[in-house]
Amino acid sequence: MSALPRLAVLGSGKGSNFVALQEAILAGKLRAQIVLVASDMADAVILSRALGFGLPTATLPPSPFRTKLSPEGEIALVELLKENDIEWVVLAGYMRVVKEPLLKAFPQRIINIHPSLLPAFKGLKAWEQALAAGVAETGCTVHYVNQDIDAGEIIGQQRVPVLPGDTAESLHARIQVAEHELYPAALAKVLSR
Ligand code: GRF
């Protein structure tokens, strides 16, 4: 059997999607290995969750920009990924826009999950955008990452109803349940291609 694809997960927050991926791997539902979990936030919960699974972690260099790494910081990230023989970069709540050094180093090898049915509600807090728009249904999307935000080729989507009385929190929680099913399944599809 061929070697397991080597994944790095990048995240800035609580890492529930990372946990769903790692649990799918441990359950034999996703044929891959997470060899590195990296965050731009030194105190991100995703890092302690990774350590809980015994996985190596890294904190990315501080950036003067809120929405992206510095160009040098992103080059350092590429070096870190290459040193670890990473084949796929999996974004899981990573709050920095991916720029050219990373895109060029991993063409069609960076995957993201977004909490809406793209192309609807790109950008931040997509569940709040869905509530404000009054739609009856939203969802989540796994897609390739390119230079345009939340606009790369779609790999898979899962629908989620907006229910009467939903708050931003209740809707986001329902979307996250769907994310945790969709991400491992969509990634398994990509890796089997
Ligand atoms: C998810 O809702 C994901 O769609 C978005 O950021 C959130 C990350 O959540 N990109 P978590 O850190 O995986 O819990």
Side-chain angles (χ1 to χ4, degrees), residues 88-94 96 98 103 106 108-123 126 139-158 179 182-183 185-187 189-190 193:
W88 293 89
V89 180
V90 178
L91 308 185
Y94 179 63
R96 309 273 177 165
V98 172
L103 290 168
F106 292 89
Q108 284 291 89
R109 292 269 173 156
I110 308 174
I111 314 280
N112 183 42
I113 188 159
H114 181 78
S116 76
L117 295 174
L118 290 172
F121 311 129
K122 295 175 181 176
C140 48
T141 302
V142 173
H143 64 95
Y144 288 99
V145 173
N146 65 16
Q147 68 287 347
D148 301 317
I149 294 173
D150 301 329
E153 183 193 335
I154 290 174
I155 297 161
Q157 294 187 307
Q158 194 154 318
E179 288 183 334
L182 176 67
Y183 215 173
L187 207 48
K189 183 167 111 181
V190 166
R193 278 179 190 164

Side-chain angles (χ1 to χ4, degrees), residues 14-141:
K14 66 187 194 305
S16 69
N17 279 284
F18 151 69
V19 170
L21 293 171
Q22 179 63 9
E23 286 181 345
I25 288 171
L26 295 175
K29 294 179 185 160
L30 175 60
R31 220 190 135 267
Q33 52 182 327
I34 296 173
V35 293
L36 180 68
V37 177
S39 181
D40 54 320
M41 309 297 283
D43 58 354
V45 174
I46 190 172
L47 293 177
S48 48
R49 286 180 137 173
L51 292 172
F53 284 104
L55 294 173
T57 61
T59 301
L60 305 178
S63 170
F65 314 105
R66 200 173 48 82
T67 57
K68 60 181 182 182
L69 296 181
S70 65
E72 312 77 53
E74 193 162 294
I75 289 166
L77 169 59
V78 169
E79 281 167 8
L80 175 70
L81 297 173
K82 294 287 180 191
E83 277 162 22
N84 283 278
D85 296 320
I86 298 301
E87 298 170 288
W88 293 89
V89 180
V90 178
L91 308 185
Y94 179 63
M95 299 304 288
R96 309 273 177 165
V97 178
V98 172
K99 302 306 247 186
E100 200 164 79
L102 192 53
L103 290 168
K104 270 197 167 156
F106 292 89
Q108 284 291 89
R109 292 269 173 156
I110 308 174
I111 314 280
N112 183 42
I113 188 159
H114 181 78
S116 76
L117 295 174
L118 290 172
F121 311 129
K122 295 175 181 176
L124 294 175
K125 300 202 171 168
W127 58 92
E128 288 187 4
Q129 298 182 47
L131 266 188
V135 293
E137 186 180 67
T138 182
C140 48
T141 302

